[in-house]
Amino acid sequence: RVRNLSFTGSTEVGRTLLKESADNVLRTSMELGGNAPFVVLDDANIDDAVAGAMLAKMRNGGAACTAANRFIVAKSVAEEFTTKFAKAMGALKLAPGLEDGAQLGASVSIKERNKIAELVDAAKAGGAKVHLGGTTPDGAGAFYPATVLEVSKDDEILANEVFGPVAPVVLFDTDEEALKMANDTEYGLISYVYSEDLKRAIRFAEGIEAGMVGINRGLLSDPAAPFGGVKQSGLGREGGFDGVHEFLQTKYIGVEI
């Protein structure tokens, strides 16, 4: 009776479901994990880039598959971007969701909060420069503050999907170097690029291995656009012409986690 299995969740669970589906030769649609690069080229409007970074990073407190996870910034504009970004992140109020003015709430569990803290602590031990946050607060609850780090290109935090309010910034010299860094991940769900030169931005976007690329915008969810990734970020598309076409080919049972 089941013609298709549609799943939204982690890559680890997606792999298990793909194995189970194979036994029944089921069509699958997988929207899995991400490790989104947020690339700021040297001709970007920095104020726009910071505003976009806040959207891309902090929607749902950073706990989103589409969240910007690696901030790849040109050296010539890195100081301005990082200073302004840290100031904007630092203005967020960390508090329980029912408290007046709360803007950044708790992680889904203490275990998840501790995973975030461990990644940050390891980055600090490896020489990361802390521009904001980076310390687990005292008291009850699975809270972690908005955090901005400047890390080296080989820092382990860049290889992990940080499901929380942590923004590691890494610097680059050339577009080629930035593109290589952006693609240096097993994931390929979504990417962001900021540049005042549209042709340059499009050329850069075409080289990124991701199902979706936002140019000069920090929010990509759009019913008119096909949603989905490549590499370990999934199979198939939702929304847009591609998603409708895929839907019409089969009957769905959907699972979202």
Side-chain angles (χ1 to χ4, degrees):
R1 295 177 61 188
V2 176
R3 299 290 301 278
N4 190 90
L5 174 66
S6 174
F7 173 72
T8 298
S10 71
T11 296
E12 291 74 17
V13 174
R15 291 191 188 110
T16 299
L17 292 176
L18 283 167
K19 293 173 184 175
E20 297 288 335
S21 298
D23 290 337
N24 295 286
V25 196
L26 282 180
R27 182 192 296 269
T28 61
S29 303
M30 297 281 150
E31 196 275 283
L32 307 176
N35 188 8
F38 189 101
V39 181
V40 182
L41 300 179
D42 56 15
D43 62 349
N45 181 308
I46 300 303
D47 290 333
D48 287 349
V50 169
M54 292 299 294
L55 278 173
K57 175 74 258 184
M58 296 308 294
R59 188 161 59 120
N60 205 38
C65 57
T66 57
N69 204 55
R70 299 170 292 145
F71 291 81
I72 302 170
V73 184
K75 281 184 180 178
S76 60
V77 297
E79 182 177 354
E80 181 184 2
F81 174 83
T82 305
T83 299
K84 290 182 175 180
F85 185 34
K87 181 178 180 181
M89 290 275 277
L92 297 175
K93 182 179 179 178
L94 178 67
L98 295 178
E99 185 174 314
D100 287 343
Q103 295 169 293
L104 175 58
S107 297
V108 68
S109 67
I110 295 292
K111 180 180 178 181
E112 186 66 23
R113 190 278 308 277
N114 290 345
K115 284 170 58 180
I116 296 168
E118 287 168 7
L119 286 169
V120 173
D121 290 344
K124 288 162 58 179
K129 180 180 178 180
V130 180
H131 289 269
L132 177 73
T135 302
T136 303
D138 296 328
F143 292 95
Y144 200 80
T147 297
V148 178
L149 309 171
E150 186 177 323
V151 302
S152 62
K153 298 171 186 176
D154 60 352
D155 197 296
E156 186 64 23
I157 198 170
L158 299 174
N160 290 273
E161 182 179 21
V162 184
F163 227 55
V166 177
V169 178
V170 60
L171 312 186
F172 71 87
D173 290 301
T174 66
D175 287 11
E176 291 74 21
E177 182 185 11
L179 185 60
K180 182 179 179 181
M181 292 164 63
N183 289 334
D184 187 19
T185 175
E186 65 179 357
Y187 300 104
L189 182 61
I190 194 168
S191 299
Y192 306 89
V193 180
Y194 271 76
S195 171
E196 288 287 83
D197 184 337
L198 186 58
K199 287 184 178 180
R200 182 186 184 193
I202 291 174
R203 184 168 62 249
F204 193 97
E206 287 175 342
I208 291 181
E209 298 166 353
M212 302 167 284
V213 182
I215 295 177
N216 295 332
R217 60 183 294 179
L219 181 62
L220 275 188
S221 299
D222 189 319
F227 186 98
V230 298
K231 299 197 287 190
Q232 297 290 304
S233 287
L235 302 166
R237 293 292 182 269
E238 303 171 4
F241 177 83
D242 292 326
V244 172
H245 178 71
E246 188 170 314
F247 176 81
L248 291 175
Q249 293 184 65
T250 186
K251 295 181 180 179
Y252 270 69
I253 175 171
V255 178
E256 290 207 15
I257 292 181

